[in-house]
Amino acid sequence: MPVFHKTIPVNSPHGIYFEDVTDKVASIIAEAGIKDGIVVVFSQHTSCSVLIQEDSEAETYAKIPLILQDTINCLEKIIPDCKYEGQYLHPGAYHTKQAFELRGELNAWCLNTDGHIRSSLLGRSESIPLLEGKMTLGEFGRIYFADLDQTRPRERTVRVQIVGE
């Protein structure tokens, strides 16, 4: 059974960011030439998510689709933004020290626990049935990559793997 893999680079700015990757995934499917199977869209980043949601056809001034802003507003009620050290148990002094010494990360970059928890609730992948070369997303379904780490701009990677025939 053929397997095809490709990545989509995403440059996310400072703050919560959503990118609609539906058309890019569709292009990868066309390139793969696999007609029937399954498409997995995955984020390897632990403070990011991949989700399917409808296109709300309108967005906030910050360019976030309204339905996704509603999602963030709901999540903020149960998972408040990480604003200062000690607000959450993570990252802790040892992790912060290691992050600086091993990766050159600033202490403020470690204040992303909210993004990690939100990502674990939203999930980091979606599996979509592929029928006759088309994703079965429904009439309004779109695939969004979400960077929930609000600490700095980042270059992220969305992985797309297609298995089928």
Side-chain angles (χ1 to χ4, degrees):
M1 185 168 281
V3 176
F4 188 87
H5 178 267
K6 196 158 188 178
T7 60
I8 301 169
V10 175
N11 290 308
S12 58
H14 187 268
I16 292 176
Y17 177 73
F18 292 92
E19 184 161 322
D20 183 338
V21 296
T22 311
D23 294 338
K24 292 175 183 173
V25 173
S27 292
I28 292 169
I29 292 167
E31 180 183 343
I34 296 172
K35 298 296 181 196
D36 296 295
I38 193 157
V39 179
V40 177
V41 184
F42 173 76
S43 169
Q44 63 193 35
H45 309 287
T46 57
S47 60
C48 297
S49 291
V50 173
L51 60 147
I52 297 173
Q53 189 51 272
E54 76 173 4
D55 179 359
S56 60
E57 299 175 333
E59 55 190 26
T60 66
Y61 293 145
K63 305 288 186 200
I64 296 175
L66 297 180
I67 190 74
L68 297 175
Q69 184 62 58
D70 289 339
T71 302
I72 292 302
N73 293 348
C74 290
L75 287 171
E76 284 178 350
K77 291 177 183 176
I78 58 171
I79 308 161
D81 289 350
C82 188
K83 296 180 179 174
Y84 54 88
E85 62 276 8
Q87 178 181 353
Y88 291 98
L89 295 175
H90 176 83
Y94 181 75
H95 178 83
T96 303
K97 178 179 177 278
Q98 291 290 95
F100 177 75
E101 290 178 0
L102 299 177
R103 296 178 294 280
E105 295 182 10
L106 301 178
N107 288 347
W109 295 354
C110 291
L111 298 177
N112 63 355
T113 302
D114 55 336
H116 288 284
I117 297 170
R118 292 170 185 170
S119 171
S120 67
L121 290 179
L122 291 175
R124 293 179 37 210
S125 70
E126 291 288 350
S127 299
I128 305 141
L130 181 63
L131 299 172
E132 298 177 5
K134 304 286 183 203
M135 292 181 283
T136 56
L137 290 171
E139 185 177 356
F140 302 107
R142 305 296 292 175
I143 306 165
Y144 292 95
F145 170 79
D147 189 339
L148 305 167
D149 185 333
Q150 303 183 64
T151 62
R152 65 191 187 271
R154 310 278 287 276
E155 184 173 311
R156 302 297 201 165
T157 301
V158 179
R159 296 194 175 277
V160 178
Q161 186 150 327
I162 307 161
V163 178
E165 50 192 21

